[in-house]
Amino acid sequence: MKRLSICCFTSRVTRTHWKQKHPQRSGETMENAKEDNFVANLEIVNGHISGSSSSCATNILLNHDFSSGLQSWHTNCCNGFVVSAESGCQGEELTKLGSNFAVVTNRQECWQGLEQDITGRISPGSTYMVSACVGVSGPLQGSADVLATLKLENHGSATSYLFIGRTSVIKDRWGKLEGTFSLSTVPDRVVFYLEGPASGVDLLIHSVAITCSGPCDYDRTSTGCISDADDNIILNPKFEDGLNNWSGRGCKIVLHDSTVDGKIVPLSGKFFASATERTQSWNGIQQEITGRVKRKLAYEVTAVVQISGNNVSKSDVRATLWVQSPDLREQYIGISNVQATDKGWVQLQGKFLLNGSPSRVVIYLEGPPAGTDILMNSLVVKHAERPPPSNPPVIENPAFGVNIVENSNLGDGTKVWFPLGNCTLSVGTGSPHILPPMARDSLGAHEPLSGRYILVTNRTQDWMGPAQIITDKLKLFLTYQVSAWVRVGSGATRPQNVNVALGVDNQWVNGGQAEISDQQWHEIGGSFRIEKQPTKVMVYVQGPAPGVNLMVAGLQIFPVDRQARFRHLKRQTDKIRKRDVVLKFSGLDSSSFPGTFLKVRQTHNVFPIGSCVSRTNIDNEDFVDFFAKHFNWAVFGNELKWYWTEPEQGKFNYKDADEMLDLCQKHNIETRGHCIFWEVEGTVQQWIKSLNTNDLKTAVQKRLTGLLTRYKGKFRHYDVNNEMLHGSFYQDRLGKDIRANMFKLANQLDPSATLFVNDYHVEDGCDTRSSPEKYTQHILELQEQGAPVGGIGIQAHIDSPVGPVVCSALDKLGILGLPIWYTELDVSSVNEYVRADDLEVMLREGFAHPAVDGIMLWGFWELFMSRDNSHLVNAEGELNEAGKRYLALKQEWLAHAYGHIDEQGEFNFRGFHGTYVVEIVTFTKKVSKTFVVDKGDSPLEVTIDL
């Protein structure tokens, strides 16, 4: 048996050697660098490398076998891609292992390779085993070394490197690299990477594993290994050791085996604890979990709770995380809440993730009013299991465009219809014979309506109207469009709201609304989707005040063919977002044109697509990397709002916004300012509410002057007074002119910024307060008062979007001639494929509409979005189906062309607006030029001298 042992050794790396090996790592120095440990524990047995097996088989690396491409991995100043071994493109020996492998190419230095941040997945004192299947390819003779290395970063001190192991591999053959490492303390950032071969040599990686070589069972006195099977990180979770490790947050805690004369006993175990003598809603029971919770890992929290005392029978109980960073910055993370009662135990569940490296972390329960005790039977905090990926829903015979409402044309009188309540249904004539416009856009050519309508009389409640059961006609995960003509009778003294609604197992679902202030026929358009199997679904029409007659004609509910709509939008996009381009070449003999090949590649689409970010997000390198690569605009979630920048009068916090703005400027990302004021009273901080009229005017003036002077020229947009259609705090206290005056003063302070109105439910037909008609009137009134309104913000927090309904709103607002932006787009579905479809609907509708100038997503990372089931990237960095769809659309909206120069020395193509690179290959040379395609109706001529 041939055996070669490689011993462990350490060496002080000289400054000269360091510079040769790591020549261009910005911000890193050799001063006071720690010793670099070259650690290996390898054996080569009969030509194969082996090492000791790990007793914990859980791999802490994400996407270790490259099954998701290079997701979670980063190339270090070079390029990389994943190929299928079955393709045979890298040689016969390399294909024997099958599956995918990564190729790291365009390496200019030996230290360039593939890396992954593992900070949140390792623990101090644990020993980790590294095993990698690696290879090399390219211009080399014999073998090349491949090394495994850790990069260790601490804020305020030099970066150091810990070398794990190395192996020598022969060109186009796989070799195995193994080694171990252990850290006594975990620094702020730990990056694992593979490097080593000389410049120009490609590094190949088939798979990588980092496993804990010690026991994986969690020990209460040690942090141990992190794995999907981690135990509870809470100490004494069921109070078996009394109140050890627990404390009161501003109150006392007491241990019980029963209370309230034996009426309350533990749900499980022998004991529970109560937080008592609470004088504030934030008082509760807490435990410090510093050192036991890791950054960039998702944790699931489960608590069993109830309340007692103070004559409160039910109240929300919240689980909250208090986090303190090394610079003493404090953060409160809401995990979850549940409505608890004094009648029995309930379960609270939620998730959280830490982006940064905290110095302290405390989890606690809070919420009920002062004097109410919080009882807790148990608390579990575990590394969250990854939910299984969604499967695309299988919908057999969707019958697109077929109305599921029976007897809609009333040819059989009111058969299958019934009155909801004690109202009376009858049939009248004289309603429109054509479909409402939004339905017509979806259905195309269609039979005329009958002209008959349901007349509803004797209405004694606003919910009374015609109804029909449609349970058996609905299919899960299918999006339905709602359409109807509605009208109200005489006698109404104010505008009447009419609503097509669905009762889904006694839960109200909005199918569309219209506000009617005359006796004309009005269109209702909306949509809905059912994602859980119901036992009963009823559609009904309701809304006008008691005593007001209601008329309903041509009610349609039909499934939407989204793919047909997408085909239409692609054609529309080609007209709106592209331009003909003529490349004219000079400097070549005309005889050379037929043999001159060129390739045109678009590198940047000028259309703005951005995302919401929060201060905590920028501590997560994976988040920042995705954000910087895939978005070109940003909006801050909370950090520019008044309650954030001045939570107490005269105490300002601009640090968060400053740091976020610095990040955006570093990555050439434009920013929207959201928002200067927020008109909804519930969002206004208490100290502002307590001001008298004169002091409030002064505070408003100071807010405008302070914010816009500080950031003059740095924010391209401002939402001046958010959600004015849904709130009126400032207008009620300072008069109608205050809104226009906010715009006027903002424009004086920063003339470079475009000033927006911004509101929600404008585009979905489900809120009469913010219908396109109401929004248009609102904007015109502001302009009449002299407000320099420069843009229209549609928030676009939307459910089950339907293209013609969204497009109708855009058309109506487009008549104002102002740029329209989606400012806060998010969609939500438990199924990733349906979520992806919803997102595609909204992105395509916006991109294809001439009045839309930009789109902002309201976040993309799980646990950092305002709605559940709306993320594109899972909590620990894995791209889901919605994220893949987004990236596919981004790729689709980059134009490419290739061919030969024609006899006139020209090349014609049609491309999206943005930046392009053209590569021209002649018989004697290769030339590359950059050019920009701007908006324009006539063909763009670009002259290129060869």
Side-chain angles (χ1 to χ4, degrees), residues 531-602:
E531 297 194 354
K532 292 182 179 180
Q533 186 62 52
T535 57
K536 179 182 177 182
V537 181
M538 175 180 66
V539 60
Y540 59 103
V541 186
Q542 61 165 353
V548 177
N549 291 345
L550 170 64
M551 289 158 267
V552 182
L555 177 61
Q556 301 257 340
I557 298 177
F558 55 90
V560 176
D561 186 349
R562 287 176 156 180
Q563 294 304 317
R565 179 70 180 179
F566 291 164
R567 291 191 290 271
H568 161 73
L569 293 174
K570 288 179 181 179
R571 295 190 294 269
Q572 184 72 7
T573 296
D574 188 83
K575 297 176 184 178
I576 300 300
R577 303 295 175 189
K578 284 185 174 181
R579 185 178 183 183
D580 290 325
V581 182
V582 181
L583 302 181
K584 295 189 172 185
F585 298 93
S586 62
L588 279 181
D589 185 85
S590 59
S591 62
S592 302
F593 289 154
T596 302
F597 179 82
L598 61 81
K599 180 172 64 175
V600 178
R601 177 172 54 90
Q602 187 173 11

Side-chain angles (χ1 to χ4, degrees), residues 682-726:
T683 68
V684 178
Q685 58 269 53
Q686 190 57 47
W687 72 263
I688 295 176
K689 293 180 181 179
S690 66
L691 298 177
N692 61 38
T693 301
N694 289 333
D695 289 342
L696 181 57
K697 284 182 180 178
T698 301
V700 166
Q701 173 103 12
K702 286 183 177 179
R703 162 66 172 171
L704 279 161
T705 303
L707 184 73
L708 275 78
T709 301
R710 180 185 184 89
Y711 294 116
K712 186 174 183 179
K714 295 184 178 180
F715 288 98
R716 290 276 299 275
H717 297 171
Y718 279 107
D719 295 327
V720 177
N721 191 359
N722 199 39
E723 298 172 1
M724 289 181 278
L725 296 175
H726 289 90

Side-chain angles (χ1 to χ4, degrees), residues 582-709:
V582 181
L583 302 181
K584 295 189 172 185
F585 298 93
S586 62
L588 279 181
D589 185 85
S590 59
S591 62
S592 302
F593 289 154
T596 302
F597 179 82
L598 61 81
K599 180 172 64 175
V600 178
R601 177 172 54 90
Q602 187 173 11
T603 59
H604 173 69
N605 190 312
V606 73
F607 186 83
I609 301 183
S611 174
C612 169
V613 294
S614 297
R615 171 59 190 83
T616 179
N617 295 142
I618 69 176
D619 292 329
N620 186 330
E621 302 82 6
D622 297 334
F623 180 99
V624 171
D625 181 66
F626 189 94
F627 170 59
K629 282 182 179 178
H630 302 301
F631 299 97
N632 53 20
W633 276 69
V635 60
F636 302 167
N638 291 303
E639 289 78 2
L640 214 65
K641 293 172 180 171
W642 197 359
Y643 63 66
W644 193 280
T645 62
E646 195 180 3
E648 298 179 43
Q649 189 169 13
K651 294 183 179 180
F652 295 97
N653 170 29
Y654 288 113
K655 182 180 180 181
D656 294 333
D658 289 347
E659 291 177 359
M660 297 169 70
L661 195 57
D662 288 344
L663 178 81
C664 292
Q665 291 172 341
K666 174 184 175 183
H667 292 285
N668 296 315
I669 292 172
E670 300 282 4
T671 48
R672 301 190 76 250
H674 176 77
C675 51
I676 304 176
F677 300 101
W678 197 345
E679 191 72 278
V680 177
E681 184 165 353
T683 68
V684 178
Q685 58 269 53
Q686 190 57 47
W687 72 263
I688 295 176
K689 293 180 181 179
S690 66
L691 298 177
N692 61 38
T693 301
N694 289 333
D695 289 342
L696 181 57
K697 284 182 180 178
T698 301
V700 166
Q701 173 103 12
K702 286 183 177 179
R703 162 66 172 171
L704 279 161
T705 303
L707 184 73
L708 275 78
T709 301

Side-chain angles (χ1 to χ4, degrees), residues 265-293:
V265 296
L267 184 66
S268 63
K270 297 180 180 180
F271 302 104
F272 62 90
S274 68
T276 189
E277 298 185 25
R278 299 174 61 252
T279 59
Q280 303 288 337
S281 63
W282 53 265
N283 296 157
I285 186 169
Q286 66 179 6
Q287 184 172 133
E288 182 161 352
I289 56 175
T290 308
R292 303 196 300 276
V293 60

Side-chain angles (χ1 to χ4, degrees), residues 296-551:
K296 299 200 297 185
L297 281 186
Y299 288 88
E300 187 169 36
V301 176
T302 305
V304 176
V305 299
Q306 69 173 294
I307 60 172
S308 177
N310 199 30
N311 297 318
V312 175
S313 59
K314 59 183 179 180
S315 175
D316 278 355
V317 173
R318 299 190 298 271
T320 305
L321 214 62
W322 174 79
V323 181
Q324 186 179 61
S325 60
D327 63 358
L328 302 184
R329 185 199 306 265
E330 293 185 338
Q331 179 190 3
Y332 293 86
I333 300 174
I335 299 170
S336 184
N337 69 80
V338 68
Q339 188 172 80
T341 72
D342 60 356
K343 299 296 188 293
W345 297 101
V346 294
Q347 190 174 85
L348 179 154
Q349 284 187 304
K351 292 183 179 181
F352 71 87
L353 178 142
L354 296 179
N355 287 302
S357 300
S359 59
R360 289 189 66 197
V361 185
V362 175
I363 188 170
Y364 64 98
L365 299 183
E366 59 171 338
T372 302
D373 292 351
I374 302 174
L375 313 183
M376 183 169 71
N377 185 208
S378 63
L379 178 63
V380 176
V381 179
K382 288 186 176 183
H383 183 203
E385 293 184 6
R386 293 185 186 180
S390 302
N391 293 316
V394 178
I395 302 172
E396 297 180 356
N397 186 27
F400 293 126
V402 176
N403 188 9
I404 66 171
V405 176
E406 289 188 50
N407 192 23
S408 176
N409 64 7
L410 306 174
D412 293 327
T414 59
K415 183 180 179 181
V416 307
W417 294 96
F418 59 89
L420 199 62
N422 57 7
C423 57
T424 303
L425 306 185
S426 60
V427 177
T429 58
S431 59
H433 286 268
I434 60 172
L435 285 172
M438 286 180 268
R440 205 156 58 238
D441 286 346
S442 289
L443 297 173
H446 202 273
E447 292 184 4
L449 300 178
S450 66
R452 293 183 286 269
Y453 62 87
I454 299 176
L455 174 63
V456 190
T457 57
N458 301 320
R459 299 178 64 255
T460 58
Q461 300 289 336
D462 59 7
W463 48 264
M464 291 183 178
Q468 186 176 133
I469 302 299
I470 58 172
T471 314
D472 297 336
K473 301 178 181 66
L474 291 171
K475 296 180 183 293
L476 296 184
F477 293 108
L478 196 56
T479 301
Y480 290 87
Q481 183 171 343
V482 177
S483 175
W485 288 113
V486 293
R487 181 179 172 184
V488 297
S490 60
T493 58
R494 55 180 173 79
Q496 300 295 302
N497 184 25
V498 180
N499 169 225
V500 176
L502 294 103
V504 182
D505 291 339
N506 298 317
Q507 185 176 16
W508 176 74
V509 174
N510 193 345
Q513 297 187 42
E515 186 178 84
I516 302 175
S517 56
D518 54 30
Q519 294 183 42
Q520 305 297 315
W521 289 99
H522 290 259
E523 175 185 19
I524 282 185
S527 62
F528 69 91
R529 181 173 57 237
I530 307 297
E531 297 194 354
K532 292 182 179 180
Q533 186 62 52
T535 57
K536 179 182 177 182
V537 181
M538 175 180 66
V539 60
Y540 59 103
V541 186
Q542 61 165 353
V548 177
N549 291 345
L550 170 64
M551 289 158 267

Side-chain angles (χ1 to χ4, degrees), residues 172-194:
D172 294 335
R173 289 181 181 271
W174 293 116
K176 192 168 185 180
L177 186 158
E178 290 187 328
T180 61
F181 70 88
S182 179
L183 301 176
S184 58
T185 59
V186 177
D188 294 331
R189 187 168 184 244
V190 182
V191 178
F192 169 81
Y193 63 99
L194 295 166

